[in-house]
Amino acid sequence: TPRHATPSIPSRSAPARKPGNVLEEARARLHVSSVPESLPCREQEFQDIYNFVESKVIDGTGGCMYISGVPGTGKTATVHEVIRSLQQASEQDEIPQFRFIEINGMKMTDPHQAYVQILQKLTDQKATPDHAAALLEKRFSAPAPKKETTVLLVDELDLLWTRKQNVMYNLFDWPTRRNARLVVLTIANTMDLPERIMINRVASRLGLTRMSFQPYTFKQLQQIITSRLNRVKAFEEDALQLVSRKVAALSGDARRCLDICRRATEICEHSAGLQKGSGLVAMSHVMETLDEMFSSSYITAIRCASLQEQLFLRAVIAEFRRLGLEEATFQQVFVQHQALCRVEGLQPASVSEGLAVCQRLGSCRLLLLEGSRLDLLLRIRLNVSQDDVLYALKAD
Amino acid sequence: MTSKRKSTALTEAQCVSLAQKILRERLCQQRLPEQPVGLESQYRHLLELLKRTAVHGESNSVLIVGPRGAGKTMLLGCVLRELMNLKEVLKNVLQVELNGLLQTDDKIALKEITRQLHLENVVGDKVFGSFAENLAFLLEALKSGDKSRSRPVLFILDEFDLFAHHKNQTLLYNLLDVSQSAQAPVAVVGLTCRLDVLELLEKRVKSRFSHRQIHLLNPLSFTQYVEAVGSQLSLPQDFPHPKFCDEWNRSVTKLCEDKSVEELLRRQFNSSKDFRSLYMLLFLAVIRVSPSHSTLRESDLLEASRLISADSKANILHGLSVLELCLIIAMKHLNDTYDGEPFNFQMVHNEFTKFIQRKSHTIHKFEKPVVMKAFEHLVELEMVRAVDSATGKVQREYQLMRLMLEHGQVMEALQKYPQCPTDVKQWALSAFA
C-alpha cells in the first residue's frame, strides 16, 4: 500500500439526479441509509446509554457495557446517536473532551486485527497485531495522555472470539486499569453471549451493565416510517399499518420494514405509469409487495417445472408413502417414475435421463441429494413439505 | 472480401458455411438476443433498479434466482447493455464482476475487486498489501464516497451461493452493509440457481439484504417452445444470399410443422424446459447440414436427438465381452434371488460356473483368474461398486459389491447386443437360474 494514499472512489462527471416527484422523495427518505437525527421509539435506551457514558466521562473512570438485540433493532444507530450528542455537549464544554473509536468484528479478517485497527485510530501508527497489542498494553497501563477518556465501540463482538479469548480479555481488562480512562461499548446479537462463549474471567470483567434491544412492535414501526416520511404524503394510512403489522409479526426488523415500503413505492409508480392513479401507495400495492418478498417460490418453481420433473416429484412422494420413510434411493424412486410414465402415456425415460431430471431438481434445491458419484444408490429427500408439492401439482 | 461476396453470387457451399457460422454463434456462444423472450416484467424491474442506482445514486441489492439454463446471465447482460447505452450512465458507473467459482475465498475476491476498481494500491495489474490491509483500504474508499458525488459501483456476484460458504461471510456482510449505509452508492446483484439461497445467509447478513428476488421460472407453453425453436433456427433477413435464406427459412417452418419433429420436441420439452439443452440438440442437427443437402431435414434432428438421449450405461454394456455380460447376468440373478443384498466375487463366480456346467455349450470354461480379471474390469467401469470403500482390508474375492444397473437396462442391452449367444439370452430370461 502506498504510504500516504487517500482511499477514494472516483467521482462522477455529472452529479446524481435529485428526486423528482413525491414517490421518489419518499423513496430517498425511506432508504435505510438515511438515518434520522434522532431515532424514534428508542428514547429509553438512548437515555440509559447516554447516562452510562456521560457519567464515566465526567468521573474520568472506565467501564464496559454489553448491548444485545436481534438485527435491525437500532443498536448501532442508537449508540452513534449517543456519541453525536455527547460530542455536541463536549463542544459546548458541558462535559470533558473524549475520543471516539469504532471497530466492527465483521470488518476485519481476523480477531487479532482489532489491535491494529484500534492502534491506528488512536495514534495513526501501523503495526503488526502482536506489536500493536504490546503498544496498546503500554498505553492503557500508563495514565492517559491529556487525561482524556476514550470511548471504544465494538460492533459484532462474537466475531472477536478466539480459542484463548485473549482479544476479548484485553478489551475488557483495559478499562479496569486505574488510569486508562477507557469506556468500552460492545454490541452483539444474542443476549446470553457472555455466558455462552466467554470463560469466567472474561465474563466477569465484562460486568453486569447490560442492555437488550427488544424487537420493534407494530406501533413503533409505524411511528418510524411516519417520522421518516415527515409529512411527505405518499402512503395511505392503512397501507402503512399493514406493512408494520406484518413485519412486527415476523421479526420486528426495521430494515425489512423500510425495504418493503421502498419496494411498494416502486410498484405504485409503475402501476401509476400504466393508469393515471392517485399516486398514493395503496393497500393493493403493499399486498403485492408483501407477496413478492415473503412468499416462498417453491410452489411456482414446481408449477413451472417440466413434465418429467413433476412426475419425478410425484414418484418421490409415492415412494415415501410406500416405504413410510422420508428418504429413498434413486433406484427405488426411478421404478415408481417409470410406472408413472406408463400411466401418463409417456415414453419411459432412460436411467441417464432420469438422473439428469433428478440432478436438475437437486440443483435448485427442491430435492436434497447426496453426491452424484453414488449413481443409482444416491439418497433423495424432499426439501419442501409433501403437502406443498401435492398442492402445486394439483392446482393446474 | 465481403464486398466481393455481395457482388458475385455466393456458391452453395459458401452459403451453407455462412449459415452454419451464424447459427453456431447463436447456439453455442450464447450471443445476447435483441430482446429477452418471455421475461418482460423481470427485465423492467431489474433495469429500473439498476438505473436508479446509476442515475440517482440509490444503493440496492437484488438476487436473480432461477434454475440452470433459465437465462439469468442473459437477462443481466441485456439489462446492462441497455443501461450502458444511456448517455448519463456510461461514464458514471464502475462495474465489478465476481464469480463464485473463480473467487473461491474472500482474499482472492478482495484482490479482484481492488483490481477492477483501480484503487490506489494497484500497481499495473498487481494488488499490494495483506488481506487485512486490502479490506481496510477498500472499506475506507467506499466510506469516503458519497451518494451524489461518487460513481456508483455495480457488484455482480455470479454463483452467489458459493460466496455464502466463505468464512464468516465477511465479503457479503461488507458489500451489503455498504448498500445499506450512507457511503458510496453500490448495487449488489447476485445470480444463483438455489431457491433456498436466503437460508444460507447469516442472520445479520440477511437483515442487510433488501429481500428483492427476481425469479426466472419459465412458464413456457409448448407452442411458444416450438416458436422459439423456429426463431432460433431461421436466418436473419440481412443474409447476403436472399434466395438461400428464403429456402432455408421455409424449410425451417416446414420442419416445425412436421409430426415426427413435433413429437421429438415434445419429448425434449417434457424432460426439461431449459434452453441450453435445446440448443445442444439444435446444434447437433445444424452441423449435419452440408453442401450435398443444404437445408435442415427432419432426419438430422432425429439423429441429433438419438445422440443426445442415448443411455450412457447401455452404451457401455454394448462394448463388453460375452464373459463380462455373463457376469452381469449372474449378478442380476443374485440381486433377484437375494432381494438387492450385496454380493461378493465368490458368489458371482459360483453362479457363473453353475450356468456353464448346466446350460452352456457355446461358452467354454474360463479359469478363475480370467473371470476375476473380467470382474475387475467391470469394477473399473463402475458397473459394480464396493459397498464400503475400505480397500486393502478384505481380500478382493470377498469384498461386498453392488450392481449399479437397473433390471431394465440389462435386458435391453441383451436385446441389442451384437451376436449374443442364445443360451446366454435364455439364461438371462429364466427366473431361476
Side-chain angles (χ1 to χ4, degrees), chain A residues 103-139:
Chain A
I103 59 170
N104 185 326
M106 273 303 240
K107 294 190 180 173
M108 51 187 85
T109 52
D110 164 74
H112 295 282
Q113 288 292 326
Y115 299 132
V116 180
Q117 295 203 357
I118 295 173
L119 185 73
Q120 193 176 15
K121 283 167 184 167
L122 262 182
T123 61
D124 250 350
Q125 268 178 293
K126 253 186 192 175
T128 60
D130 287 340
H131 190 208
L135 287 176
L136 285 174
E137 180 73 40
K138 217 165 91 188
R139 156 79 175 72

Short mmCIF file of all heavy atoms in Angstrom, two decimals, chain A residues 103-139:
data_model
loop_
_atom_site.label_atom_id
_atom_site.label_comp_id
_atom_site.label_asym_id
_atom_site.label_seq_id
_atom_site.Cartn_x
_atom_site.Cartn_y
_atom_site.Cartn_z
N ILE A 103 -14.76 -0.09 16.12
CA ILE A 103 -14.33 -1.23 15.30
C ILE A 103 -15.51 -2.17 15.12
O ILE A 103 -16.46 -2.15 15.91
CB ILE A 103 -13.12 -1.99 15.92
CG1 ILE A 103 -13.46 -2.51 17.31
CG2 ILE A 103 -11.89 -1.13 15.94
CD1 ILE A 103 -12.43 -3.45 17.86
N ASN A 104 -15.43 -2.98 14.08
CA ASN A 104 -16.51 -3.91 13.79
C ASN A 104 -15.91 -5.28 13.51
O ASN A 104 -15.01 -5.42 12.67
CB ASN A 104 -17.28 -3.41 12.56
CG ASN A 104 -18.48 -4.26 12.25
OD1 ASN A 104 -18.46 -5.47 12.46
ND2 ASN A 104 -19.53 -3.64 11.76
N GLY A 105 -16.36 -6.28 14.24
CA GLY A 105 -15.80 -7.62 14.12
C GLY A 105 -15.92 -8.20 12.72
O GLY A 105 -15.08 -8.98 12.28
N MET A 106 -16.98 -7.81 11.99
CA MET A 106 -17.17 -8.34 10.65
C MET A 106 -16.27 -7.64 9.65
O MET A 106 -16.09 -8.13 8.55
CB MET A 106 -18.62 -8.13 10.22
CG MET A 106 -19.57 -9.23 10.63
SD MET A 106 -19.09 -10.83 10.04
CE MET A 106 -20.50 -11.26 9.07
N LYS A 107 -15.76 -6.48 10.00
CA LYS A 107 -14.97 -5.74 9.02
C LYS A 107 -13.49 -5.98 9.16
O LYS A 107 -12.69 -5.20 8.68
CB LYS A 107 -15.29 -4.24 9.14
CG LYS A 107 -16.71 -3.95 8.74
CD LYS A 107 -17.00 -2.51 8.61
CE LYS A 107 -18.47 -2.36 8.20
NZ LYS A 107 -18.90 -1.00 8.19
N MET A 108 -13.13 -7.02 9.90
CA MET A 108 -11.71 -7.38 9.94
C MET A 108 -11.56 -8.85 9.61
O MET A 108 -12.49 -9.64 9.74
CB MET A 108 -11.11 -7.03 11.29
CG MET A 108 -11.88 -7.57 12.45
SD MET A 108 -11.21 -6.94 13.96
CE MET A 108 -12.01 -5.40 14.14
N THR A 109 -10.36 -9.18 9.14
CA THR A 109 -10.18 -10.51 8.61
C THR A 109 -9.89 -11.53 9.69
O THR A 109 -10.05 -12.72 9.48
CB THR A 109 -9.01 -10.49 7.62
OG1 THR A 109 -7.91 -9.89 8.29
CG2 THR A 109 -9.37 -9.69 6.41
N ASP A 110 -9.49 -11.05 10.86
CA ASP A 110 -9.03 -11.96 11.89
C ASP A 110 -9.15 -11.22 13.22
O ASP A 110 -8.92 -10.01 13.27
CB ASP A 110 -7.57 -12.32 11.54
CG ASP A 110 -6.82 -12.95 12.68
OD1 ASP A 110 -7.08 -14.11 12.98
OD2 ASP A 110 -5.98 -12.25 13.28
N PRO A 111 -9.55 -11.88 14.31
CA PRO A 111 -9.78 -11.16 15.57
C PRO A 111 -8.60 -10.30 16.01
O PRO A 111 -8.80 -9.20 16.55
CB PRO A 111 -10.02 -12.28 16.57
CG PRO A 111 -10.57 -13.39 15.77
CD PRO A 111 -9.94 -13.28 14.42
N HIS A 112 -7.37 -10.76 15.73
CA HIS A 112 -6.22 -10.01 16.22
C HIS A 112 -6.03 -8.69 15.49
O HIS A 112 -5.29 -7.83 15.94
CB HIS A 112 -4.95 -10.86 16.10
CG HIS A 112 -5.00 -12.06 16.98
ND1 HIS A 112 -4.77 -12.00 18.33
CD2 HIS A 112 -5.31 -13.36 16.72
CE1 HIS A 112 -4.92 -13.19 18.86
NE2 HIS A 112 -5.25 -14.04 17.91
N GLN A 113 -6.70 -8.54 14.34
CA GLN A 113 -6.63 -7.26 13.63
C GLN A 113 -7.26 -6.14 14.44
O GLN A 113 -7.03 -4.96 14.16
CB GLN A 113 -7.34 -7.36 12.28
CG GLN A 113 -6.62 -8.19 11.23
CD GLN A 113 -5.35 -7.52 10.78
OE1 GLN A 113 -5.29 -6.31 10.71
NE2 GLN A 113 -4.34 -8.32 10.49
N ALA A 114 -8.06 -6.51 15.44
CA ALA A 114 -8.69 -5.49 16.28
C ALA A 114 -7.63 -4.58 16.89
O ALA A 114 -7.78 -3.36 16.90
CB ALA A 114 -9.50 -6.16 17.38
N TYR A 115 -6.51 -5.16 17.38
CA TYR A 115 -5.43 -4.36 17.96
C TYR A 115 -4.93 -3.34 16.94
O TYR A 115 -4.74 -2.17 17.25
CB TYR A 115 -4.26 -5.24 18.38
CG TYR A 115 -4.58 -6.27 19.42
CD1 TYR A 115 -4.18 -7.60 19.25
CD2 TYR A 115 -5.24 -5.92 20.58
CE1 TYR A 115 -4.45 -8.54 20.21
CE2 TYR A 115 -5.52 -6.86 21.55
CZ TYR A 115 -5.12 -8.17 21.36
OH TYR A 115 -5.38 -9.10 22.31
N VAL A 116 -4.69 -3.85 15.71
CA VAL A 116 -4.12 -2.99 14.67
C VAL A 116 -5.03 -1.81 14.40
O VAL A 116 -4.58 -0.66 14.33
CB VAL A 116 -3.90 -3.81 13.37
CG1 VAL A 116 -3.32 -2.93 12.29
CG2 VAL A 116 -3.03 -5.00 13.63
N GLN A 117 -6.34 -2.10 14.31
CA GLN A 117 -7.28 -1.02 13.97
C GLN A 117 -7.40 -0.02 15.10
O GLN A 117 -7.44 1.19 14.87
CB GLN A 117 -8.63 -1.62 13.62
CG GLN A 117 -8.55 -2.47 12.37
CD GLN A 117 -9.89 -2.62 11.69
OE1 GLN A 117 -10.90 -2.12 12.17
NE2 GLN A 117 -9.90 -3.31 10.56
N ILE A 118 -7.44 -0.53 16.34
CA ILE A 118 -7.55 0.41 17.48
C ILE A 118 -6.33 1.31 17.53
O ILE A 118 -6.44 2.53 17.66
CB ILE A 118 -7.70 -0.36 18.80
CG1 ILE A 118 -9.01 -1.13 18.82
CG2 ILE A 118 -7.67 0.59 19.99
CD1 ILE A 118 -9.16 -2.06 19.99
N LEU A 119 -5.16 0.69 17.37
CA LEU A 119 -3.93 1.47 17.45
C LEU A 119 -3.89 2.52 16.35
O LEU A 119 -3.52 3.67 16.57
CB LEU A 119 -2.71 0.56 17.33
CG LEU A 119 -1.39 1.28 17.52
CD1 LEU A 119 -1.20 1.63 18.99
CD2 LEU A 119 -0.23 0.47 17.02
N GLN A 120 -4.30 2.10 15.15
CA GLN A 120 -4.25 3.05 14.04
C GLN A 120 -5.18 4.22 14.28
O GLN A 120 -4.85 5.37 13.98
CB GLN A 120 -4.60 2.33 12.74
CG GLN A 120 -4.24 3.20 11.55
CD GLN A 120 -4.49 2.50 10.24
OE1 GLN A 120 -5.18 1.48 10.21
NE2 GLN A 120 -3.94 3.04 9.19
N LYS A 121 -6.35 3.94 14.83
CA LYS A 121 -7.30 5.02 15.06
C LYS A 121 -6.87 5.89 16.23
O LYS A 121 -7.18 7.08 16.27
CB LYS A 121 -8.69 4.47 15.26
CG LYS A 121 -9.29 4.06 13.92
CD LYS A 121 -10.53 3.23 14.03
CE LYS A 121 -10.96 2.81 12.63
NZ LYS A 121 -11.96 1.78 12.63
N LEU A 122 -6.15 5.31 17.20
CA LEU A 122 -5.70 6.10 18.36
C LEU A 122 -4.52 6.98 18.00
O LEU A 122 -4.51 8.17 18.31
CB LEU A 122 -5.29 5.15 19.49
CG LEU A 122 -6.31 4.88 20.61
CD1 LEU A 122 -5.67 3.97 21.63
CD2 LEU A 122 -6.77 6.17 21.25
N THR A 123 -3.52 6.38 17.35
CA THR A 123 -2.26 7.11 17.19
C THR A 123 -1.79 7.22 15.75
O THR A 123 -0.69 7.73 15.51
CB THR A 123 -1.15 6.42 17.99
OG1 THR A 123 -1.00 5.10 17.46
CG2 THR A 123 -1.49 6.34 19.45
N ASP A 124 -2.58 6.69 14.79
CA ASP A 124 -2.18 6.75 13.38
C ASP A 124 -0.92 5.94 13.09
O ASP A 124 -0.24 6.19 12.11
CB ASP A 124 -1.94 8.19 12.93
CG ASP A 124 -3.03 8.61 11.97
OD1 ASP A 124 -3.79 7.71 11.56
OD2 ASP A 124 -3.14 9.80 11.64
N GLN A 125 -0.63 4.96 13.96
CA GLN A 125 0.54 4.13 13.73
C GLN A 125 0.12 2.86 13.04
O GLN A 125 -1.00 2.39 13.23
CB GLN A 125 1.16 3.75 15.08
CG GLN A 125 2.22 4.65 15.57
CD GLN A 125 2.70 4.17 16.91
OE1 GLN A 125 1.96 4.20 17.88
NE2 GLN A 125 3.93 3.71 16.97
N LYS A 126 1.04 2.29 12.26
CA LYS A 126 0.76 0.99 11.67
C LYS A 126 1.67 -0.02 12.34
O LYS A 126 2.85 0.25 12.54
CB LYS A 126 1.06 1.01 10.18
CG LYS A 126 -0.19 1.02 9.35
CD LYS A 126 0.17 0.89 7.90
CE LYS A 126 -1.04 1.20 7.04
NZ LYS A 126 -0.69 1.20 5.64
N ALA A 127 1.13 -1.19 12.70
CA ALA A 127 1.96 -2.19 13.35
C ALA A 127 1.37 -3.56 13.10
O ALA A 127 0.22 -3.69 12.69
CB ALA A 127 2.04 -1.92 14.85
N THR A 128 2.17 -4.56 13.37
CA THR A 128 1.64 -5.93 13.29
C THR A 128 0.76 -6.15 14.51
O THR A 128 0.88 -5.45 15.50
CB THR A 128 2.79 -6.94 13.31
OG1 THR A 128 3.51 -6.76 14.52
CG2 THR A 128 3.71 -6.75 12.13
N PRO A 129 -0.13 -7.16 14.46
CA PRO A 129 -1.03 -7.39 15.59
C PRO A 129 -0.31 -7.53 16.92
O PRO A 129 -0.71 -6.91 17.90
CB PRO A 129 -1.73 -8.69 15.20
CG PRO A 129 -1.72 -8.70 13.72
CD PRO A 129 -0.47 -8.00 13.32
N ASP A 130 0.80 -8.30 16.96
CA ASP A 130 1.50 -8.52 18.23
C ASP A 130 2.07 -7.23 18.78
O ASP A 130 1.94 -6.90 19.95
CB ASP A 130 2.63 -9.54 18.05
CG ASP A 130 2.07 -10.93 17.89
OD1 ASP A 130 0.90 -11.11 18.29
OD2 ASP A 130 2.77 -11.81 17.34
N HIS A 131 2.70 -6.49 17.87
CA HIS A 131 3.32 -5.23 18.26
C HIS A 131 2.25 -4.25 18.73
O HIS A 131 2.41 -3.57 19.76
CB HIS A 131 4.10 -4.66 17.08
CG HIS A 131 4.95 -3.49 17.44
ND1 HIS A 131 5.28 -2.52 16.53
CD2 HIS A 131 5.51 -3.12 18.60
CE1 HIS A 131 6.01 -1.59 17.13
NE2 HIS A 131 6.18 -1.93 18.39
N ALA A 132 1.15 -4.20 18.00
CA ALA A 132 0.06 -3.29 18.35
C ALA A 132 -0.49 -3.63 19.72
O ALA A 132 -0.75 -2.73 20.53
CB ALA A 132 -1.04 -3.38 17.30
N ALA A 133 -0.60 -4.94 20.02
CA ALA A 133 -1.11 -5.34 21.33
C ALA A 133 -0.19 -4.84 22.43
O ALA A 133 -0.65 -4.31 23.45
CB ALA A 133 -1.23 -6.86 21.38
N ALA A 134 1.12 -4.98 22.19
CA ALA A 134 2.08 -4.54 23.20
C ALA A 134 1.98 -3.03 23.40
O ALA A 134 1.98 -2.53 24.54
CB ALA A 134 3.49 -4.93 22.77
N LEU A 135 1.88 -2.28 22.30
CA LEU A 135 1.80 -0.82 22.39
C LEU A 135 0.55 -0.39 23.13
O LEU A 135 0.59 0.53 23.97
CB LEU A 135 1.83 -0.20 20.99
CG LEU A 135 3.17 -0.23 20.25
CD1 LEU A 135 3.00 0.34 18.85
CD2 LEU A 135 4.21 0.57 21.03
N LEU A 136 -0.56 -1.05 22.83
CA LEU A 136 -1.82 -0.68 23.47
C LEU A 136 -1.75 -0.98 24.97
O LEU A 136 -2.25 -0.22 25.79
CB LEU A 136 -2.98 -1.44 22.82
CG LEU A 136 -3.42 -0.93 21.46
CD1 LEU A 136 -4.47 -1.84 20.86
CD2 LEU A 136 -3.99 0.48 21.57
N GLU A 137 -1.14 -2.14 25.27
CA GLU A 137 -0.98 -2.53 26.67
C GLU A 137 -0.25 -1.43 27.45
O GLU A 137 -0.66 -1.02 28.53
CB GLU A 137 -0.19 -3.85 26.71
CG GLU A 137 0.07 -4.42 28.08
CD GLU A 137 -1.18 -5.01 28.69
OE1 GLU A 137 -1.94 -5.67 27.94
OE2 GLU A 137 -1.41 -4.80 29.89
N LYS A 138 0.82 -0.91 26.82
CA LYS A 138 1.61 0.15 27.45
C LYS A 138 0.77 1.41 27.59
O LYS A 138 0.78 2.07 28.64
CB LYS A 138 2.84 0.43 26.57
CG LYS A 138 4.08 0.75 27.39
CD LYS A 138 5.32 0.66 26.52
CE LYS A 138 5.64 2.00 25.90
NZ LYS A 138 6.72 1.94 24.92
N ARG A 139 0.04 1.71 26.54
CA ARG A 139 -0.76 2.94 26.51
C ARG A 139 -1.82 2.94 27.63
O ARG A 139 -2.04 3.94 28.29
CB ARG A 139 -1.42 3.05 25.14
CG ARG A 139 -2.67 3.86 25.02
CD ARG A 139 -2.39 5.35 24.98
NE ARG A 139 -3.60 6.11 24.74
CZ ARG A 139 -4.57 6.28 25.63
NH1 ARG A 139 -4.48 5.73 26.81
NH2 ARG A 139 -5.63 7.01 25.34
#
